[in-house]
Amino acid sequence: MDNKLEGTEGTDLLIRCTAEGGKPPPDVKVTILDGTGSNGIKEVNYTIPTISRDYHRRTIVCKATSNAFNISMTATAHIYLNLKPLTPIFNSKEISTEETEPLRVSCISYGSRPAATFTWSIGGKDVTSNSAASQPVTESNDTKTVTSTLTASVNRSHTNQIIICRASNTVGSVSVGKNLDVKYAPSIDVSNYTLLNSDGSTSILCIPSGNPNVYTYYKWQHMSPYGQLIRELDGNKILTLPNVRDEFKYQDSGVYVCTASNGVISSNGNLKQIGSSFITINAIPVFTVDNTEYTYGELGKSLDLSVHVYSGTKLTSVKWFKENYQVISSSDKYSVAETQNTVDVRFHNKVIKFDGYRVTLTITNITLDDFSSYVLQVANTIEQPVVYKKYMEPVGM
């Protein structure tokens, strides 16, 4: 019997012990140090079925005894098994990274003989090509320890996918899997409203979506459509607008910007993320601060009387009056035009630019009778008309 017996974990291992010569033939006994064994005359065949890794490097004793001469001879050997890798171990309890950083994780295989090779997958997709293994280390029990390190680019779509490390050799394979936690900066949605000025208080909801989902909120900003800051407001996930009188409620229209952070840097390098939405308050029209009360004309020429109006909804009624009489806009003398225009309007004590309307009365062939006062009456879906008085005077007055 050789002093080294090779076998494979999970298969049957046959141990044969033979004594040569002797008359009468000697008794032969095979003993494994766990106490099991078998005996016979001259030769013993002992099978360990589906041998387990517990037998690796165990000592076997073969003993031949002759009763005729009261002598014995022994030989020893050790079992060396090809062993399936033990379940690999990740180098950290939690596997996480940020979306802007590559994932770097290691997996260690122990107890393998011969050394294990590795395969990796994330969400069922093979990513082994992004990994590298260390040189095997031979342990004192003649097994191999190998470390494989995966470096891969991941994004938010990989969050909660399973990352699997599989160690394999000629005996078999075994794997370990964990949830992948990809941290990413939030995208932010802001609720969108169109409200009547009689709706009372207005609450605007900020909805960040990131990982982790714990957020720090900063001051809300109320902006014009052209990027002008109107005011800053205290709030967190919910912004409740201060109550104002109905005639000033239109001033709550505009772009509301929510700023929040979950501590993760975004791909553009920002810690704070923003989201915005346009809030429209439908109120009666407002004549804007860029209007002038007087317009000057010349006899025999034409003149445009223009008035700027802010309205959250489309104007539904436009009427011009000269003194107390409505102007017939379809006549050769007068024509009325309504165009969208950028206007200067007062919002919360600031004059800002907003989208509004220019309403124009064109008067042709001016006569002395045309130098008079004119009134513009407009209304929108609120159906409460408002008026603006404008004067036309001769040039030079």
Side-chain angles (χ1 to χ4, degrees):
M1 182 177 69
D2 296 332
N3 63 358
K4 191 173 185 180
L5 288 178
E6 294 282 355
T8 298
E9 178 187 4
T11 65
D12 296 345
L13 177 65
L14 173 63
I15 303 171
R16 178 177 290 116
C17 181
T18 304
E20 299 291 344
K23 188 178 181 181
D27 295 327
V28 178
K29 185 176 182 180
V30 172
T31 305
I32 303 176
L33 290 189
D34 64 358
T36 61
S38 182
N39 52 43
I41 298 174
K42 194 173 181 178
E43 181 177 288
V44 173
N45 291 320
Y46 178 65
T47 300
I48 304 175
T50 58
I51 192 168
S52 69
R53 67 186 303 122
D54 294 336
Y55 284 90
H56 179 60
R57 299 193 65 180
R58 284 196 181 178
T59 301
I60 304 168
V61 177
C62 178
K63 184 175 183 180
T65 304
S66 174
N67 292 329
F69 297 97
N70 195 28
I71 61 174
S72 63
M73 297 179 65
T74 61
T76 61
H78 299 281
I79 299 174
Y80 280 79
L81 296 177
N82 292 326
L83 300 170
K84 183 173 74 170
L86 296 173
T87 301
I89 299 172
F90 284 114
N91 65 335
S92 59
K93 290 183 179 180
E94 303 294 332
I95 300 178
S96 66
T97 189
E98 293 186 6
E99 188 175 39
T100 55
E101 299 289 336
L103 171 67
R104 184 177 175 85
V105 60
S106 294
C107 183
I108 307 171
S109 169
Y110 297 98
S112 176
R113 191 171 181 270
T117 58
F118 291 85
T119 56
W120 291 85
S121 67
I122 298 178
K125 181 180 179 180
D126 188 280
V127 291
T128 307
S129 61
N130 296 318
S131 66
S134 66
Q135 288 295 320
V137 175
T138 302
E139 305 293 349
S140 59
N141 62 358
D142 201 43
T143 61
K144 307 294 182 180
T145 298
V146 185
T147 300
S148 177
T149 300
L150 174 71
T151 304
S153 296
V154 293
N155 55 48
R156 65 190 63 193
S157 68
H158 293 98
T159 299
N160 291 325
Q161 290 189 0
I162 303 298
I163 180 170
I164 294 177
C165 167
R166 180 178 297 276
S168 307
N169 65 7
T170 55
V171 183
S173 64
V174 66
S175 64
V176 62
K178 281 190 176 183
N179 277 358
L180 176 58
D181 183 25
V182 180
K183 294 177 171 57
Y184 53 90
S187 57
I188 297 180
D189 291 328
V190 178
S191 56
N192 194 321
Y193 295 102
T194 298
L195 299 173
L196 296 175
N197 64 348
S198 60
D199 286 345
S201 62
T202 301
S203 293
I204 306 169
L205 182 62
C206 180
I207 310 169
S209 177
N211 182 34
N213 62 348
V214 178
Y215 306 101
T216 299
Y217 294 90
Y218 302 88
K219 283 185 177 293
W220 285 74
Q221 291 183 315
H222 179 197
M223 311 284 292
S224 80
Y226 295 93
Q228 296 169 284
L229 177 64
I230 300 171
R231 54 181 172 161
E232 289 188 328
L233 298 161
D234 290 326
N236 42 55
K237 185 174 183 177
I238 299 174
L239 171 65
T240 299
L241 298 182
N243 283 324
V244 296
R245 297 197 333 234
D246 282 352
E247 60 264 37
F248 300 124
K249 192 69 174 176
Y250 73 90
Q251 298 180 14
D252 287 345
S253 292
V255 179
Y256 285 84
V257 180
C258 171
T259 303
S261 171
N262 65 352
V264 180
I265 302 294
S266 67
S267 58
N268 57 13
N270 293 331
L271 178 63
K272 298 178 181 179
Q273 312 305 320
I274 64 172
S276 62
S277 182
F278 194 95
I279 307 300
T280 301
I281 307 296
N282 289 345
I284 61 175
V286 177
F287 296 105
T288 60
V289 298
D290 51 1
N291 286 309
T292 57
E293 187 176 0
Y294 290 90
T295 298
Y296 299 91
E298 296 183 50
L299 291 171
K301 295 186 177 181
S302 297
L303 176 71
D304 289 339
L305 288 178
S306 294
V307 177
H308 288 164
V309 183
Y310 169 75
S311 175
T313 58
K314 185 174 176 59
L315 298 178
T316 58
S317 174
V318 174
K319 295 178 181 179
W320 281 94
F321 296 85
K322 179 183 176 183
E323 297 177 348
N324 294 323
Y325 300 95
Q326 184 175 352
V327 171
I328 306 301
S329 59
S330 60
S331 66
D332 293 336
K333 181 72 174 178
Y334 303 107
S335 63
V336 175
E338 172 196 331
T339 58
Q340 290 186 332
N341 198 75
T342 302
V343 298
D344 292 333
V345 60
R346 191 177 302 278
F347 272 49
H348 298 285
N349 297 319
K350 285 189 177 181
V351 176
I352 57 98
K353 292 192 177 299
F354 234 90
D355 293 329
Y357 298 91
R358 179 198 295 259
V359 181
T360 302
L361 173 65
T362 299
I363 305 173
T364 61
N365 192 22
I366 295 174
T367 65
L368 287 175
D369 185 57
D370 292 323
F371 296 112
S372 180
S373 62
Y374 295 82
V375 172
L376 170 63
Q377 177 185 316
V378 295
N380 59 16
T381 54
I382 304 298
E383 296 182 351
Q384 181 179 335
V386 293
V387 297
Y388 185 85
K389 195 169 187 179
K390 199 170 179 74
Y391 297 92
M392 187 176 77
E393 294 187 353
V395 173
M397 288 191 62

